[in-house]
Amino acid sequence: MNAAAPVPNNMDTDAARDDPDDRLPAGARIGRAALRVADLDETTAFYRDVVGLAVLDRDDDRATLGVDGTALLVLERTADRPERSRTDAGLFHTAFRVPSRAALGEALARVRDRWRLDGASDHLVSEALYLDDPEGNGVEIYRDRPREEWPVDDDGTVRMATEPLDVQGVAGAAGGERAGLVDDVPPGTDVGHMHLEVTSLSAFEAMYVDGLGFEVGMTGPNVRFVAAGGYHHHIGANTWQGRTTPAAGRGLAWFEVVVPDENELEALRERLDAVAADGDVGFETNERDAGIAVTDADGIEVRVRTP
């Protein structure tokens, strides 16, 4: 979430689902994200030099970036697509999670030296930096606090907030063996969560909660956070900007949800079929060689696969 966007503290209890058999397992996580971009060279350079990802593969129309040989981001050149409009649903930000406060301090140094920082927040469970890539796609770089330090409400919901970040403390945490300006994120970096701008929170829940099986966490009138295994959020969705039309231009192409094994993939497939059988749910499911592709009511494609 952007630094200026508050995190709600109220729970929508009517949205909670209690059947553990209909939930994703604790091992579920976000995999790769893919963006459609006009300028592949400039955008690749940003994610390499500012975010700190390594270029793993590159041709004229596609670049794959990641860390320690693991792909995290795919950039697809689609100059023929229009720029995302002010009404289009789509990406709020892709959130890259680094494994330590020192790594977050290194990221802060790269951003200050090579780009511009748009925001910085302490969310109680995490510390986060916010910026936009050259084509206006939101980026978060964050580190989680140890899970035992996360504040929890009486109902078991992880509590978040938006408070000023101790920028000086984060900057001071960098150094050690990787002293100086560090070009790359360390091993253990991943895509911790995705945050979407949607046209309807009820349609978002129909797919991501009822269909995919995420659990509802913190909610508010204009935002939902959902997760697996008690995480603070694997996916966020908001209607803060009043988006009214499905994604059609450049920006988010797809992202992945990774489930632990084929049994969990089959359970998810059955859950999607059962929800779809109940009526017009606004999403479409298709088989892929490596799993399932589900396109939500806002035209956002989620690819579900095993590791």
Side-chain angles (χ1 to χ4, degrees):
M1 71 203 65
N2 291 341
V7 176
N9 285 317
N10 58 305
M11 275 293 296
D12 179 358
T13 55
D14 290 338
R17 277 70 169 181
D18 299 323
D19 186 352
D21 293 334
D22 286 339
R23 303 278 63 84
L24 284 170
R29 58 179 175 82
I30 302 299
R32 298 173 297 172
L35 302 177
R36 299 185 185 98
V37 302
D39 192 325
L40 186 60
D41 293 336
E42 183 182 29
T43 312
T44 299
F46 167 85
Y47 285 98
R48 180 193 64 211
D49 300 336
V50 180
V51 177
L53 304 179
V55 178
L56 305 179
D57 189 47
R58 171 70 198 270
D59 60 27
D60 290 342
D61 297 313
R62 183 182 175 100
T64 302
L65 298 96
V67 59
D68 202 28
T70 298
L72 300 181
L73 181 69
V74 178
L75 302 175
E76 302 172 350
R77 188 198 302 273
T78 51
D80 57 331
R81 274 192 176 240
E83 185 177 355
R84 180 184 175 190
S85 79
R86 294 179 63 88
T87 63
D88 281 358
L91 183 69
F92 192 54
H93 61 237
T94 305
F96 298 95
R97 177 175 57 182
V98 295
S100 67
R101 200 180 201 213
L104 188 65
E106 293 164 358
L108 175 61
R110 281 193 303 276
V111 174
R112 282 174 157 174
D113 186 69
R114 299 169 179 174
W115 201 248
R116 54 190 176 273
L117 185 67
D118 293 332
S121 297
D122 185 331
H123 295 304
L124 306 183
V125 298
S126 63
E127 295 180 304
L129 310 175
Y130 296 95
L131 55 157
D132 284 346
D133 76 9
E135 303 210 353
N137 297 298
V139 176
E140 175 181 346
I141 306 172
Y142 76 108
R143 72 102 184 179
D144 278 332
R145 286 191 167 89
R147 197 153 179 161
E148 59 271 17
E149 296 179 8
W150 295 358
V152 178
D153 289 331
D154 292 341
D155 62 3
T157 304
V158 176
R159 186 172 74 254
M160 299 172 63
T162 297
E163 299 179 352
L165 180 69
D166 177 8
V167 175
Q168 184 174 351
V170 169
E177 295 180 359
R178 289 162 57 95
L181 189 62
V182 177
D183 290 330
D184 59 328
V185 291
T189 298
D190 62 5
V191 179
H193 65 268
M194 300 293 295
H195 196 144
L196 311 175
E197 292 186 300
V198 302
T199 60
S200 165
L201 292 175
S202 60
F204 170 82
E205 287 193 30
M207 173 170 149
Y208 291 88
V209 178
D210 299 335
L212 293 180
F214 285 102
E215 295 179 274
V216 178
M218 290 187 58
T219 74
N222 301 112
V223 67
R224 297 288 186 275
F225 294 134
V226 301
Y231 192 56
H232 50 75
H233 67 301
H234 285 108
I235 303 175
N238 75 70
T239 56
W240 292 323
Q241 298 300 319
R243 304 286 182 171
T244 56
T245 55
R250 295 190 294 269
L252 182 62
W254 49 266
F255 68 93
E256 292 177 325
V257 173
V258 182
V259 296
D261 55 45
E262 291 291 339
N263 289 334
E264 294 295 345
L265 184 63
E266 181 59 29
L268 189 148
R269 182 182 285 110
E270 293 174 357
R271 185 163 56 244
L272 286 166
D273 289 345
V275 173
D278 285 341
D280 183 9
V281 294
F283 62 80
E284 179 180 337
T285 304
N286 296 288
E287 294 295 324
R288 289 179 53 84
D289 291 341
I292 309 168
V294 192
T295 303
D296 71 14
D298 290 315
I300 298 167
E301 180 181 338
V302 182
R303 300 180 178 182
V304 186
R305 64 171 175 86
T306 56

